[in-house]
């Protein structure tokens, strides 16, 4: 039997790198799209490619961009994937207020370009779209489920709503096996350093090691549903193994404030965050999202998926990894995302 082929956009990101590992472990031939940059330094992919236990000969990277429709057509035709995971986006919510046009072009129109590339080539892969809990925004019910109305509060969230409905439309119009994973906040040691959880854990580690004194943050009262990215990519894969495409909330059904995240992160290192954290208005969003908490009952029932790593263990895992990462940097060892 021939090896399954998967195409991942955003493979160099947190989710993409974990998904690539999972698919390689399952025997897939994995193709990933990366953007051409002046530097080829990709720490998350380096972490994957450093694993001696994976069949790395089955991992293939291709230059491309969701802003380039013609390039996507050529790549889809070349790879002929059985499964497509669209994870790429301008995914930083605060930055989307500064770059709304670019965010919309990549996050919303980019999804359409990829769907059209599949249609133009004439293949029938299974399609996964990385949707986001940010689409719920100013939440209209608690907890949020697959039927909760959207109320986006940022250009990023608006773009994700567009992409979500595009996937539903292509599923219903063209019979495409297409699924939306409405993922709530998911973190890991591979999370970008500008995202609040990683910003907190790496600052706590640096402060403990005497390399930093203060940390500036925005709204400490925001409540989020935080899970472990490594577990969430398994839910993505499971969606494409179902008989039909569908939409699923992936979450922990727990909510915690940023202040609670500070309690756990600094507390794990014997520090009091009140001595080091300053609130800075520059980090507040023009329109805040105050509360997100997801009900993953459908994913549990239909996919057999549920979260295993809970909030406290997740933050402590990230703090430990950041302490080791900084010590590696100081010791001149290769810098990898754990």
């Amino acid at each position: 039997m021939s090896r399954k082929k998967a195409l991942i956009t955003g493979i160099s990101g947190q989710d993409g790198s974990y998904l690539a590992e999972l698919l390689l472990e399952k025997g897939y031939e994995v193709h990933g799209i990366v953007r051409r940059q002046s530097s080829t330094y990709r720490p998350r992919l380096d972490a994957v490619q450093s694993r001696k236990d994976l069949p790395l000969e089955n991992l293939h990277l291709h230059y491309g961009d969701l802003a380039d429709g013609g390039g996507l057509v050529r790549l889809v035709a070349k790879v002929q994937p059985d499964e497509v995971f669209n994870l790429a986006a301008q995914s930083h919510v605060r930055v989307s207020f500064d770059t709304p046009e670019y965010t919309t072009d990549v996050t919303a129109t980019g999804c359409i370009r990829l769907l059209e590339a599949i249609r133009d080539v004439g293949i029938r892969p299974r399609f996964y779209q990385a949707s986001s809990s940010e689409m719920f925004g100013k939440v209209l019910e608690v907890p949020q489920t697959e039927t909760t109305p959207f109320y986006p509060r940022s250009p990023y969230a608006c773009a994700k709503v567009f992409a979500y409905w595009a996937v539903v439309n292509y599923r219903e119009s063209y019979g495409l096996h297409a699924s939306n994973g409405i993922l709530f906040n998911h973190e890991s040691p591979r999370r970008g350093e500008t995202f609040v959880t990683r910003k907190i854990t790496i600052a706590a580690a640096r402060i403990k090691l005497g390399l930093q004194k203060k940390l500036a943050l925005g709204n400490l009262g925001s409540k989020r549903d935080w899970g472990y990215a490594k577990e969430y990519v398994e839910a993505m894969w499971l969606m494409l193994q179902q008989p039909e495409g569908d939409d699923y909330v992936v979450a922990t059904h727990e909510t915690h404030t940023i202040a609670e995240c500070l309690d756990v992160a600094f507390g794990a290192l014997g520090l009091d965050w009140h001595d080091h954290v300053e609130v800075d208005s520059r980090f507040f969003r023009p329109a805040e999202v105050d509360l997100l908490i997801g009900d993953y009952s459908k994913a549990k029932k239909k996919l057999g998926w549920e979260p295993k790593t809970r909030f406290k263990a997740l933050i402590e895992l990230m703090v430990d990894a950041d302490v080791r990462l900084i010590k590696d940097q100081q010791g001149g060892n290769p810098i990898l995302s754990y």
Side-chain angles (χ1 to χ4, degrees), residues 241-256:
Q241 311 316 305
Q242 304 309 303
E244 298 179 344
D246 206 343
D247 309 314
Y248 300 87
V249 163
V250 180
T252 70
H253 205 182
E254 294 181 8
T255 190
H256 300 274

Side-chain angles (χ1 to χ4, degrees), residues 293-309:
I293 179 170
D295 182 346
Y296 63 90
S297 298
K298 181 178 177 180
K300 183 177 180 179
K301 180 179 179 181
K302 295 190 68 175
L303 306 179
W305 181 91
E306 59 183 321
K308 300 178 183 68
T309 305

Side-chain angles (χ1 to χ4, degrees), residues 61-275:
L61 302 180
H62 308 267
Y63 287 120
D65 198 307
L66 287 182
D68 177 13
L72 291 175
V73 171
R74 290 189 293 273
L75 184 56
V76 169
K78 176 182 178 181
V79 174
Q80 297 277 314
D82 300 293
E83 297 174 3
V84 176
F85 296 86
N86 185 33
L87 311 185
Q90 189 304 99
S91 59
H92 198 287
V93 176
R94 180 61 189 85
V95 171
S96 76
F97 285 99
D98 300 322
T99 61
E101 185 176 344
Y102 172 75
T103 299
T104 302
D105 185 47
V106 173
T107 308
T109 313
C111 178
I112 286 287
R113 292 188 185 105
L114 186 54
L115 289 166
E116 279 296 286
I118 290 168
R119 285 215 313 131
D120 287 350
V121 174
I123 60 173
R124 305 284 296 178
R126 297 187 173 196
F127 186 92
Y128 172 84
Q129 168 63 20
S131 291
S132 169
S133 60
E134 287 288 331
M135 300 188 303
F136 295 122
K138 189 175 181 180
V139 298
L140 298 179
E141 65 180 11
V142 178
Q144 292 86 56
T145 71
E146 293 81 5
T147 60
T148 301
F150 300 137
Y151 195 142
R153 298 272 282 172
S154 67
Y156 166 76
C158 291
K160 282 292 188 183
V161 169
F162 177 94
Y164 172 94
W165 284 114
V167 169
V168 173
N169 181 254
Y170 275 62
R171 183 170 70 215
E172 295 177 351
S173 299
Y174 305 115
L176 185 66
H177 189 299
S179 296
N180 282 293
I182 308 173
L183 271 58
F184 281 62
N185 292 63
H186 45 292
E187 319 299 316
S188 76
R190 297 183 189 175
R191 187 61 142 151
E193 294 178 19
T194 59
F195 291 85
V196 68
T197 50
R198 185 77 194 289
K199 189 175 179 180
I200 288 170
T201 60
I202 202 165
R206 287 178 57 82
I207 289 168
K208 180 65 176 180
L209 296 172
L211 302 174
Q212 185 174 330
K213 292 184 178 180
K214 296 292 183 181
L215 169 63
L217 294 173
N219 182 6
L220 304 187
S222 290
K223 294 180 179 180
R224 294 291 185 272
D225 184 324
W226 279 303
Y228 187 18
K230 190 172 183 178
E231 296 171 359
Y232 281 33
V233 299
E234 184 180 1
M236 299 177 188
W237 176 77
L238 286 168
M239 290 177 207
L240 299 199
Q241 311 316 305
Q242 304 309 303
E244 298 179 344
D246 206 343
D247 309 314
Y248 300 87
V249 163
V250 180
T252 70
H253 205 182
E254 294 181 8
T255 190
H256 300 274
T257 65
I258 293 173
E260 288 178 82
C261 183
L262 289 165
D263 280 334
V264 175
F266 280 76
L269 298 174
L271 301 171
D272 185 343
W273 66 266
H274 296 89
D275 298 331

Side-chain angles (χ1 to χ4, degrees), residues 217-223 258-259 279-280 283-284 288-290:
L217 294 173
N219 182 6
L220 304 187
S222 290
K223 294 180 179 180
I258 293 173
V279 175
D280 189 328
F283 297 109
F284 281 78
E288 284 286 348
V289 173
D290 297 317

Side-chain angles (χ1 to χ4, degrees), residues 12 37-44 46 325 329 334-337:
S12 61
Q37 299 177 113
S38 58
S39 170
T40 57
Y41 175 57
R42 303 184 185 101
R44 300 175 189 89
D46 288 346
L325 181 67
Q329 291 172 341
I335 303 169
L336 298 176
S337 295

